[in-house]
Amino acid sequence: MSDGDEVVLMGFWTSPYVTRVKIALAEKGSLLLLKVNPVYQKVPVLIHNDKPVCESLIILQYIADVWSDHKPPLLSEDPYRRSKARFWVDFFDNKMADCGRRMWASKGADQEAAKNEFVEVLKLLEGELGEKPYFEGDRFRLLDVALVRFACRFYTYEMFCNFSVEKECPKIMQSVKRCSLRESVSKTLPDKYKVYDFVLEVKKMLGIN
């Protein structure tokens, strides 16, 4: 990223969609240029040299294209691998948007069903990960970013649904821990206890007991 680039990311600190963009920017060496502005509309929005780019997956593609000469590449050079990564990210996003909220906002059978769906998704991802250090082998890329951004929410899900992600999906947690060793991740992910406290406040505001 050149010194003349101005990069502003607009988002809210607990949003996993904002988090994955922050990780991607940090991987490109833009941590000092990043300014996060909390807004309550649809986020994230990346403003690069006064040009807005919306939707987190589109932003990740934009980052990969604009700063393609900066390592590491977030997307594979191989078209098949790129399309496969996008498929899994889209699948993961759609599932998590639904069952993630139900795990903390519902009770009884619906909450249990949401937890089971969540574990099922993680087990599918475990199958895709296999024995590799990262989803695409030895490189930290798009699908790793998509998964690790949710890691700060695992504690919240565990507290409300009384289970252990590590016991259910040990390979996923190994991957999360490996990714968390990267500075771009460790300095970006929100604190899991603060996320839990935030969800408790949201439940209170919404009148959910």
Side-chain angles (χ1 to χ4, degrees):
M1 188 173 294
S2 67
D3 293 336
D5 282 328
E6 181 182 355
V7 180
V8 177
L9 178 63
M10 302 180 70
F12 191 62
W13 71 273
T14 60
S15 169
Y17 302 98
V18 173
T19 299
R20 73 177 175 190
V21 174
K22 290 173 69 177
I23 291 172
L25 285 168
E27 285 287 322
K28 296 296 182 181
S30 63
L31 205 57
L32 294 178
L33 294 172
L34 187 64
K35 292 183 283 186
V36 181
N37 300 315
V39 296
Y40 293 92
Q41 299 176 12
K42 191 157 186 171
V43 293
V45 175
L46 179 75
I47 302 175
H48 178 218
N49 294 334
D50 294 324
K51 298 176 182 177
V53 184
C54 303
E55 300 288 346
S56 62
L57 194 54
I58 294 173
I59 292 172
L60 292 183
Q61 176 70 67
Y62 181 84
I63 292 169
D65 290 341
V66 171
W67 294 288
S68 58
D69 57 336
H70 290 68
K71 67 179 183 68
L74 289 175
L75 291 168
S76 171
E77 295 81 5
D78 179 70
Y80 173 72
R81 287 192 173 188
R82 290 168 76 104
S83 63
K84 191 176 181 181
R86 289 194 189 100
F87 165 80
W88 279 108
V89 170
D90 186 62
F91 172 79
F92 186 66
D93 281 356
N94 289 334
K95 286 290 186 180
M96 288 304 300
D98 176 49
C99 62
R101 188 182 191 281
R102 285 162 53 209
M103 278 192 284
W104 61 261
S106 64
K107 289 184 176 182
D110 187 45
Q111 186 183 59
E112 183 68 15
K115 181 197 77 174
N116 292 337
E117 288 175 34
F118 173 75
V119 172
E120 181 182 347
V121 170
L122 292 188
K123 287 186 180 296
L124 285 172
L125 286 171
E126 277 195 322
E128 179 66 17
L129 177 64
E131 302 300 324
K132 304 185 296 293
Y134 299 109
F135 281 101
E136 288 195 35
D138 60 351
R139 291 188 177 186
F140 177 80
R141 283 185 163 161
L142 183 65
L143 189 49
D144 304 292
V145 174
L147 172 64
V148 76
R149 70 198 164 102
F150 273 102
C152 62
R153 295 181 170 226
F154 287 177
Y155 176 78
T156 297
Y157 301 152
E158 290 172 334
M159 291 298 99
F160 285 114
C161 296
N162 192 29
F163 77 113
S164 166
V165 174
E166 188 154 26
K167 287 183 179 178
E168 295 283 352
C169 304
K171 288 183 180 178
I172 287 296
M173 285 308 300
Q174 288 174 11
S175 176
V176 166
K177 290 175 182 178
R178 184 179 298 110
C179 292
S180 297
L181 294 175
R182 303 181 72 86
E183 186 177 3
S184 63
V185 176
S186 63
K187 290 190 174 182
T188 301
L189 284 184
D191 179 82
K192 63 181 181 180
Y193 301 113
K194 290 182 179 179
V195 172
Y196 177 65
D197 289 341
F198 175 78
V199 172
L200 288 176
E201 288 299 316
V202 171
K203 283 172 66 76
K204 188 183 298 183
M205 285 191 301
L206 296 176
I208 301 173
N209 297 321

